[in-house]
Amino acid sequence: MKLELRGITKRFGDFTANDSIDLVIESGTVHALLGENGAGKSTLMNVLFGLYDPDGGEILIDDKPVDFDGPGDAMAAGIAMVHQHFMLVHPFTVAENVMLGHEQVKGPFRLLNIDSAREKVREISARFGFNVDPDAVVADLSVGAQQRVEIIKALSQRAEVLILDEPTAVLTPQETDELLEIVRQLRASGTAIVLITHKLREVQAIADTITVIRRGKVVGTAEPTASQEQLASLMVGRAVLMKVDKKQATPGEVMLTVEDLTVIDDIGVVHLNDVSFEVRAGEIFAIAGVQGNGQTELTEALLGGVVPKAGKAVLDGKQITGLTISEVLESGIGFVPEDRTEDGLVSAFTIANNIILDQYNKAPYSKRGALQPSVIEEAANTAVEQFDIRTTSIFLTAGSLSGGNQQKVVLARELSRPLKLLIASNPTRGLDVGSIEFVHKRIIQERDGGAAVIIVSSELDEVVALADRIAVMYHGQIVGIVPPDTSRDTLGLMMAGAHTMEDAA
Amino acid sequence: MREIAESSTLLIILAIIASLVLSGVLILFADEAFRTALPYFFSRPADTFHAMADALGTAYKAIWQGAIYNGGAATFAAKIAPFMATLTAATPLIFAGLGIGIGFRAGMFNIGAQGQLLIGATLGAMVGFMWHLPFPLHLILAVVGCALGGAVWGFIPGILKARTGAHEVIVTIMLNYIALNLVGYLLSLEAFQRPGSDNPQSPAVDVNAQYPKLFGDQYSLSLAFVLALVAAVFTWWLMERSTLGFQFRAVGANPSAARTAGMKVPRVTVIVMVVAGAMSGLAASAQILGTQTSLTTGIAGSIGFDAITVALLGASRPFGIVLAAILFGGLKAAGPTLQVNAGLPIDIVLVIQSLIVLFIAAPPLIRFLFRLPTPRIVKEVTA
């Protein structure tokens, strides 16, 4: 099967999300669609998947024009998509999820034929070595396994074109390797795969064809042999420094001491188990680990959002555990939450109001309970300028900004006051290359300015690039603290729970 | 919910138009002459159109005469009396609408204005008829009493939500019943009855505790209306310019981010409900110290519920709420005229009000009716 997009154009009002894009996808190949966030990749795939009506251009299958009126049509034509956010029903079993939307019935009472779905799961699972139990409840599966369920779902509908939207965003390095292996097998079996991503390493590892999209246009195609620098500069439109440029750290006094910190929730689940570490002024202490291994609880406990069952944290000689969040922020901690849209910003507020979200009751932004609009405006304009926040006005809502610019708003707010400690969780998640570069630069500036920095990240690239020391968390514990030149394999194994470096080696 | 509470001006105006048109159809079918003429439409269409024009003309004229300007009256003072009545009817709606609007913007769906009004009226009435003090002082204390009563009745769902997570919708609905029956019980006590009567009606509040009339006794419009406008300006300042209002809005728009920024969400919840309750209490003052002067179980009328509509119609913004309250005050004032002059059931006013709400609550319906484009989120172009 050959799938062709010809001159696809999609506009939203004045904004052209896709500008006459041409794309040819052939069986048995991996076609990487590379571009920054907001470049128009997802819009294009939504057009292909029948979710949006294009304003121009056509879709051809085997040189015959087709018209998709919705995902149903696209699926019937053999196109399947694995969304970045999985579309699975959590309380259902794997087989039930696979059957969803294509339920088969049997017998006079038209009972659901779950056995045929089970069989299908077993068959596909065996063919590709997925190792997925058809009767497992999806909620109990790891993220990687859930993704395989999505792929099984697609394959069970005999998909000939499989679109993977940012498939590795949620995976551990090992899971990523496994996924790439699966993609290779699918390719070998004749499936066409469209890989939407902004991760250059994966593109280089697996793509047969690379199409780069920038601002809604195809700006070029590249060979898989192209260097990361070449791909990045195509994507961003200028030369990009791939390695974070930082000087050797000059650690000073111990700024933060965490002792035996333990967090247990209401139902008795231990999220953080006896965690102890120190962070010095002027160093970046990175906490690596697969999401959900206690990192969130650790940062929440430091911030004052959850009360630890035991242990304490001391910032510059002053105990911070037991303080309220506002007191913790007051004591000199800057906090960049892992979910910026949920915890970092009020999307419905203006950019200006988000810039002062945790400073609104302090001078000079307010006087005797009254906000000072002109002061706030001035501060916001300064922040927009200093942090290169791309917007036409500080009075637009934060929700109207792209992810990268939203994150810059959060950073601008947190870095606008003198800090003793900066805690940033996944500071570059979902950001494009240009924004990542900027965010990293600011974090290093903060370190060089003498602040202690804690970076929590599930992206090894980021951890390795920024860290002066790396702690790996697994099941609520720190399994080891290692230097930044530790090999990726070792780190990956530690993230999977290998306790010591000897175990990992 | 939030989307409905902060609909765009255009949608609201279109909703009003749509409801007026639709109620026009209902007015037609309620009209005898039109119903008689309709079967002969094809033989004598002119009759039908004539009846149609007649019915609608009478109805809309009655609304105009009843709510705004009665050209047929003898003196100018009498001519503008309907508008004065409109503003008087709007006064408690402004107060209560402001309270509910503040709640909406802080993410609280306060259905309890009715109960807050009743308790506010009770406390205000007690200050009004049990104490006997000189003029400005007595009025001020009675007004404070009303606000305090409402605030207490708002505090209860606030603290319950903050401490236990009990949902304010359920708690406030139940508190409405409790308030109504509490007032009924109090009115059965001798201390709350007029001497020599066992009607469930309290003595009238002292004249010293009543709002002075703005233009003498010919109109019932009182100082309460001015106070309502002041309250609207204050609410604007509170929500847009004060640090407290900043917290209200942040908690309403995204409690997680507000919490991460160091705001104390439970505390804000309580304060919002107290402020909203106090506003409802002030609405009660417009009744007990203004138009009614003695406490009955019917003192709050349907103000507490109409105010929800007013807040929705005003998109939870003070200026919008004032306009919406005046619109509703007008419809209320026009009711009797509609009945007498146009021979329409007074319920048609309720129908119009309900249709407005229905259309506002269903933005897609209005968009469909007027062929408006679906709103979309245009992202800023990524650099």
Side-chain angles (χ1 to χ4, degrees):
Chain A
M1 178 165 127
K2 185 175 115 184
L3 176 68
E4 189 176 356
L5 301 183
R6 212 177 270 168
I8 295 288
T9 300
K10 176 70 192 168
R11 289 187 202 91
F12 297 104
D14 303 335
F15 176 62
T16 307
N18 287 157
D19 191 355
S20 56
I21 289 187
D22 298 321
L23 210 61
V24 181
I25 299 150
E26 307 216 39
S27 293
T29 62
V30 175
H31 194 128
L33 207 53
L34 190 63
E36 293 191 295
N37 290 301
K41 298 169 298 193
S42 296
T43 307
L44 185 67
M45 287 304 118
N46 284 332
V47 169
L48 172 58
F49 206 50
L51 287 166
Y52 290 154
D53 256 344
D55 295 312
E58 53 183 356
I59 302 169
L60 301 98
I61 292 180
D62 292 330
D63 296 319
K64 281 193 276 298
V66 288
D67 186 20
F68 296 152
D69 212 15
D73 289 358
M75 281 190 266
I79 299 172
M81 185 157 171
V82 174
H83 294 266
Q84 191 174 356
H85 305 285
F86 304 148
M87 310 286 177
L88 295 172
V89 183
H90 278 205
F92 280 17
T93 65
V94 171
E96 283 167 338
N97 267 289
V98 167
M99 177 169 71
L100 202 66
H102 315 277
E103 299 86 355
Q104 289 179 352
V105 290
K106 62 174 178 189
F109 299 109
R110 301 180 57 74
L111 297 174
L112 286 173
N113 189 354
I114 189 79
D115 288 330
S116 74
R118 272 203 199 103
E119 197 38 56
K120 221 177 243 174
V121 173
R122 277 200 204 95
E123 185 256 319
I124 295 169
S125 184
R127 180 148 42 108
F128 295 100
F130 281 180
N131 192 22
V132 171
D133 173 9
D135 294 318
V137 173
V138 164
D140 300 338
L141 297 178
S142 72
V143 176
Q146 289 187 14
Q147 189 171 52
R148 271 170 290 192
V149 175
E150 282 278 19
I151 294 172
I152 292 173
K153 236 169 87 181
L155 296 179
S156 74
Q157 293 310 308
R158 279 179 284 280
E160 291 179 68
V161 177
L162 183 62
I163 306 167
L164 300 173
D165 187 5
E166 300 281 359
T168 60
V170 287
L171 302 183
T172 64
Q174 269 75 17
E175 282 176 325
T176 302
D177 289 345
E178 285 169 27
L179 176 74
L180 294 183
E181 193 44 50
I182 289 169
V183 170
R184 281 188 197 102
Q185 287 185 39
L186 289 172
R187 171 171 62 190
S189 73
T191 311
I193 289 140
V194 182
L195 182 69
I196 303 176
T197 187
H198 61 260
K199 293 192 186 167
L200 305 172
R201 188 188 304 277
E202 291 154 19
V203 170
Q204 286 179 311
I206 198 139
D208 300 305
T209 323
I210 302 169
T211 300
V212 185
I213 294 184
R214 188 169 77 232
R215 296 191 178 203
K217 282 185 190 157
V218 172
V219 289
T221 52
E223 293 298 313
T225 50
S227 74
Q228 292 206 9
E229 278 75 11
Q230 285 168 331
L231 291 174
S233 58
L234 255 179
M235 223 160 104
V236 183
R238 61 181 164 82
V240 177
L241 209 58
M242 289 307 295
K243 240 178 78 69
V244 178
D245 185 22
K246 68 173 180 145
K247 297 195 298 273
Q248 187 70 34
T250 48
E253 300 283 297
V254 171
M255 195 56 99
L256 177 78
T257 314
V258 175
E259 268 175 40
D260 308 327
L261 207 59
T262 300
V263 172
I264 301 172
D265 68 15
D266 294 342
I267 54 167
V269 178
V270 180
H271 290 288
L272 210 56
N273 191 356
D274 246 353
V275 166
S276 303
F277 59 89
E278 282 180 349
V279 187
R280 290 173 179 276
E283 74 163 344
I284 295 177
F285 184 76
I287 297 174
V290 180
Q291 253 184 48
N293 275 291
Q295 302 96 317
T296 310
E297 287 75 14
L298 173 61
T299 56
E300 277 288 306
L302 292 177
L303 181 68
V306 296
V307 183
K309 274 274 161 0
K312 60 176 182 177
V314 178
L315 177 74
D316 200 16
K318 189 178 148 206
Q319 183 165 339
I320 54 167
T321 30
L323 299 183
T324 63
I325 295 177
S326 57
E327 286 164 343
V328 168
L329 295 175
E330 185 85 345
S331 69
I333 290 186
F335 188 78
V336 178
E338 59 177 284
D339 188 338
R340 66 181 157 265
T341 48
E342 185 61 23
D343 299 322
L345 292 167
V346 179
S347 309
F349 270 22
T350 61
I351 294 165
N353 279 345
N354 273 296
I355 296 270
I356 58 149
L357 196 63
D358 58 9
Q359 300 293 310
Y360 67 96
N361 54 357
K362 314 245 152 55
Y365 305 116
S366 65
K367 271 185 201 154
R368 277 175 262 105
L371 297 173
Q372 303 296 312
S374 55
V375 182
I376 293 168
E377 206 175 307
E378 202 182 301
N381 278 323
T382 313
V384 162
E385 196 180 318
Q386 280 184 359
F387 283 81
D388 189 29
I389 299 164
R390 305 282 170 84
T391 177
T392 48
S393 161
I394 56 165
F395 299 114
L396 289 177
T397 60
S400 71
L401 297 175
S402 68
N405 284 307
Q406 287 183 347
Q407 189 71 327
K408 288 180 194 167
V409 171
V410 176
L411 273 180
R413 175 176 75 223
E414 298 305 314
L415 300 183
S416 64
R417 55 207 154 94
L419 295 182
K420 290 177 181 163
L421 171 67
L422 172 69
I423 303 173
S425 291
N426 290 308
T428 58
R429 173 184 292 163
L431 302 196
D432 49 74
V433 177
S435 301
I436 291 174
E437 199 185 9
F438 182 86
V439 169
H440 283 171
K441 211 169 74 191
R442 293 303 303 221
I443 288 173
I444 288 162
Q445 262 181 30
E446 202 59 28
R447 174 199 81 171
D448 292 343
V453 178
I454 295 179
I455 299 289
V456 177
S457 181
S458 46
E459 300 244 6
L460 266 189
D461 283 338
E462 178 160 77
V463 167
V464 171
L466 285 178
D468 297 313
R469 285 191 300 148
I470 301 173
V472 181
M473 278 190 84
Y474 180 74
H475 282 192
Q477 287 181 310
I478 289 186
V479 293
I481 298 177
V482 294
D485 54 5
T486 309
S487 78
R488 297 175 68 89
D489 287 344
T490 310
L491 287 171
L493 286 168
M494 288 174 80
M495 284 164 77
H499 252 273
T500 59
M501 289 189 62
E502 286 76 50
D503 280 0
Chain B
M1 187 61 244
R2 203 182 149 68
E3 198 190 334
I4 299 169
E6 296 183 14
S7 340
S8 75
T9 318
L10 178 68
L11 278 182
I12 287 165
I13 291 170
L14 291 178
I16 294 173
I17 292 173
S19 63
L20 283 177
V21 169
L22 200 55
S23 47
V25 175
L26 293 174
I27 288 171
L28 283 181
F29 281 95
D31 183 76
E32 182 105 33
F34 177 77
R35 274 191 317 226
T36 322
L38 194 60
Y40 308 111
F41 179 76
F42 291 105
S43 48
R44 301 194 55 179
D47 270 13
T48 313
F49 285 120
H50 192 253
M52 206 161 136
D54 213 36
L56 288 180
T58 320
Y60 290 126
K61 197 172 155 205
I63 293 180
W64 175 262
Q65 283 182 344
I68 299 170
Y69 185 80
N70 181 5
T75 61
F76 178 71
K79 282 177 180 170
I80 61 162
F83 189 59
M84 293 296 154
T86 293
L87 294 184
T88 306
T91 305
L93 291 174
I94 296 175
F95 279 123
L98 289 172
I100 291 172
I102 291 171
F104 277 156
R105 295 193 68 192
M108 302 281 285
F109 202 79
N110 171 18
I111 310 288
Q114 190 74 4
Q116 292 147 17
L117 263 138
L118 283 164
I119 300 301
T122 305
L123 214 60
M126 287 167 72
V127 174
F129 71 78
M130 287 181 175
W131 296 356
H132 305 287
L133 299 162
F135 164 61
L137 182 66
H138 200 175
L139 173 63
I140 291 167
L141 288 178
V143 170
V144 170
C146 286
L148 194 66
V152 167
W153 220 242
F155 173 77
I156 298 169
I159 193 80
L160 285 178
K161 178 162 194 173
R163 286 282 164 80
T164 70
H167 201 284
E168 74 275 10
V169 169
I170 294 161
V171 176
T172 51
I173 289 175
M174 293 305 135
L175 282 173
N176 286 343
Y177 291 115
I178 295 174
L180 185 63
N181 289 299
L182 186 63
V183 172
Y185 168 72
L186 288 175
L187 287 173
S188 74
L189 301 178
E190 206 166 316
F192 276 83
Q193 284 169 353
R194 296 178 177 219
S197 154
D198 53 4
N199 285 339
Q201 188 180 22
S202 79
V205 296
D206 284 11
V207 175
N208 284 349
Q210 292 179 18
Y211 285 113
K213 302 275 185 280
L214 282 183
F215 305 110
D217 283 338
Q218 54 177 334
Y219 307 125
S220 50
L221 191 68
S222 69
L223 191 65
F225 178 68
V226 178
L227 198 61
L229 295 183
V230 172
V233 174
F234 169 76
T235 303
W236 175 84
W237 180 85
L238 176 74
M239 295 310 286
E240 305 300 330
R241 285 288 180 271
S242 78
T243 52
L244 190 61
F246 189 81
Q247 295 183 57
F248 287 7
R249 286 187 285 135
V251 168
N254 185 349
S256 311
R259 189 195 73 107
T260 309
M263 296 175 194
K264 296 180 182 71
V265 177
R267 185 170 158 267
V268 172
T269 303
V270 175
I271 299 175
V272 167
M273 285 306 297
V274 166
V275 173
M279 283 292 181
S280 297
L282 289 176
S285 81
Q287 297 287 97
I288 190 75
L289 310 176
T291 49
Q292 307 278 322
T293 69
S294 62
L295 184 68
T296 62
T297 49
I299 186 82
S302 61
I303 294 167
F305 301 110
D306 292 346
I308 297 172
T309 320
V310 165
L312 288 175
L313 194 55
S316 304
R317 297 295 194 280
F319 185 62
I321 286 169
V322 170
L323 290 183
I326 291 174
L327 175 72
F328 269 46
L331 288 174
K332 196 175 255 180
T337 326
L338 262 179
Q339 200 169 18
V340 176
N341 292 13
L344 286 168
I346 199 159
D347 302 322
I348 198 78
V349 167
L350 262 175
V351 172
I352 297 177
Q353 289 182 1
S354 311
L355 284 174
I356 295 177
V357 183
L358 194 136
F359 281 120
I360 290 178
L365 184 59
I366 284 290
R367 284 199 199 94
F368 169 74
L369 281 177
F370 292 90
R371 301 288 185 275
L372 295 181
T374 329
R376 58 207 153 62
I377 299 148
V378 181
K379 286 213 162 191
E380 291 273 309
V381 184
T382 320

